[in-house]
Amino acid sequence: MPSAAAINYRALAACASVILKADRATLDRQEVQALYGASFVAQVAAWNSYVVGLVRCFFNEVANPAIPNFHAMHTLANTAATSQLDRFNTPNAENTRNLIIACTGYDVWPDWQWPARHMNAMAVRLRLNEILKVRHSLAHGFAMPGYLWTQAASGKTRLTLDVLAWTQTFFDHLVSSTDHGLMNHLNTVYAVIPKW
């Protein structure tokens, strides 16, 4: 069963897909790109929400108010984590790893591999960082970076339905891998079997 953060991620990711159900037949190329950009930004927002939610899930799982000393330390750590979560808004590979390690002790990077797509952990981190740079350009009105996956044969940068579908599948995989990894971390380090 997925964590509450993963369940919320799925709902937000579904909303990102709703944008693509708009009738594009009457739209020009620039308007279609705006629609695709909105969906892409919403996908990244769903990922950001997942990362923040996962840290909150961690603190819910390790809470034990029956032990006063532990509960006091838990409260301090949770307050410090909440402060970091409130400032978290760029969920690239480094920021996500740093946040999750600082708040939970779990290093996500070893679990971020995607053998089905022939992507090792380094390739996954690189793609996540590229996705965040594209999201940044869309959100702030900058020129979109030209990566292999954002460039047409003509050299023009653009988003396509295939790119949006691939990115959605990429985030789905990251969420699943990270959920599973944190569940193992909770079990191994804290002797907690999560309720999810």
Side-chain angles (χ1 to χ4, degrees):
M1 182 172 180
S3 68
I7 292 168
N8 184 56
Y9 160 80
R10 287 180 185 165
L12 292 172
C15 289
S17 298
V18 167
I19 295 169
L20 299 176
K21 292 182 181 178
D23 182 13
R24 297 183 301 275
T26 60
L27 301 178
D28 65 29
R29 191 171 270 165
Q30 188 174 0
E31 291 169 329
V32 169
Q33 282 301 297
L35 199 63
Y36 289 176
S39 180
F40 192 86
V41 169
Q43 286 178 356
V44 176
W47 166 246
N48 190 95
S49 177
Y50 168 75
V51 173
V52 169
L54 187 66
V55 171
R56 290 192 172 115
C57 285
F58 168 81
F59 279 100
N60 289 339
E61 289 296 330
V62 298
N64 189 347
I67 304 172
N69 289 344
F70 176 80
H71 183 65
M73 291 302 294
H74 178 273
T75 302
L76 289 172
N78 192 15
T79 300
T82 300
S83 175
Q84 289 186 47
L85 296 176
D86 290 344
R87 295 187 311 269
F88 186 73
N89 58 17
T90 306
N92 64 20
E94 292 76 20
N95 292 348
T96 298
R97 177 186 192 230
N98 291 341
L99 177 76
I100 293 176
I101 285 178
C103 295
T104 71
Y106 164 55
D107 184 357
V108 297
W109 282 4
D111 292 326
W112 282 4
Q113 299 179 42
W114 200 5
R117 296 293 173 106
H118 307 290
M119 295 178 77
N120 61 24
M122 180 62 85
V124 168
R125 293 193 308 262
L126 178 65
R127 185 59 169 261
L128 179 58
N129 288 346
E130 289 175 354
I131 288 169
L132 264 290
K133 288 177 184 174
V134 170
R135 189 268 312 173
H136 185 76
S137 72
L138 293 168
H140 298 285
F142 303 141
M144 187 185 305
Y147 300 116
L148 287 176
W149 55 276
T150 61
Q151 273 187 309
S154 66
K156 184 172 176 131
T157 57
R158 83 292 183 251
L159 293 173
T160 64
L161 281 175
D162 286 343
V163 165
L164 293 174
W166 193 96
T167 303
Q168 184 67 59
T169 304
F170 176 79
F171 280 129
D172 291 348
H173 176 75
L174 274 185
V175 166
S176 176
S177 299
T178 306
D179 238 35
H180 184 73
L182 183 62
M183 186 171 44
N184 287 340
H185 179 74
L186 281 164
N187 193 2
T188 304
V189 176
Y190 295 92
V192 170
I193 299 173
K195 299 173 190 79
W196 37 273

